[in-house]
Amino acid sequence: MTQQKLQRVEQLVKAQQWQQAEALLRDLRQDAANSADVWNWSGYVARKSGRLAQAFPYYDKALAIDPKHRGAHEYLGEAYLQNGEREKARQQLQILQELCGQCEEAQDLAAALKAAPQPAKEKSGFLLGG
């Protein structure tokens, strides 16, 4: 039953029906509190609904349950980017690359990092590193 509900959440997310997805996730967080997928999707829906601050604890919970959850690392990295925390996003990318090399999640987060606006001091080359 949990798997069917998660599949429905994914359908709602693809259709950007955030309120319906959140309602389903609210039940899942009670019924399947030990599912990293439930918490990861909760973070994703919160972030995409404009509730960035609420997304972080959801991603943290997903990673506490499954520290190798690739989706949670990717989406947490994207949340950090939205929050202007490039270095923390890079750390999530590094974790992903250690977990899975150049898997889809790592490629997506790398692309998001590349596309995100950079602070002026990084653009001008004053910061070393990559």
Side-chain angles (χ1 to χ4, degrees):
M1 186 60 136
T2 297
Q3 196 57 40
Q4 289 174 327
K5 286 183 179 180
L6 276 172
Q7 288 173 344
R8 180 67 183 137
V9 167
E10 288 186 54
Q11 293 169 347
L12 292 167
V13 163
K14 285 179 183 171
Q16 297 184 7
Q17 295 178 341
W18 309 123
Q19 289 180 331
Q20 296 92 323
E22 176 56 36
L24 200 50
L25 284 163
R26 197 174 303 119
D27 291 340
L28 281 168
R29 287 192 296 267
Q30 290 181 354
D31 298 342
N34 290 325
S35 168
D37 288 336
V38 167
W39 294 101
N40 180 50
W41 281 118
S42 295
Y44 185 90
V45 168
R47 180 169 60 93
K48 291 296 190 171
S49 300
R51 296 176 286 123
L52 185 59
Q54 192 177 18
F56 288 106
Y58 288 149
Y59 292 132
D60 290 343
K61 179 84 171 175
L63 291 170
I65 294 167
D66 180 2
K68 295 181 179 182
H69 195 288
R70 297 184 333 208
H73 283 292
E74 175 191 348
Y75 295 153
L76 178 58
E78 291 174 3
Y80 282 136
L81 279 177
Q82 276 184 252
N83 208 39
E85 299 178 87
R86 290 182 67 80
E87 188 52 42
K88 287 184 177 182
R90 281 191 192 110
Q91 290 170 0
Q92 292 304 308
L93 177 57
Q94 185 176 5
I95 291 167
L96 273 171
Q97 290 170 335
E98 289 170 7
L99 286 174
C100 60
Q102 290 301 314
C103 60
E104 181 180 353
E105 294 86 355
Q107 290 176 14
D108 289 350
L109 182 51
L113 264 161
K114 190 172 187 175
Q118 295 184 12
K121 61 183 177 182
E122 282 190 28
K123 283 184 187 173
S124 62
F126 288 115
L127 274 185
L128 299 178

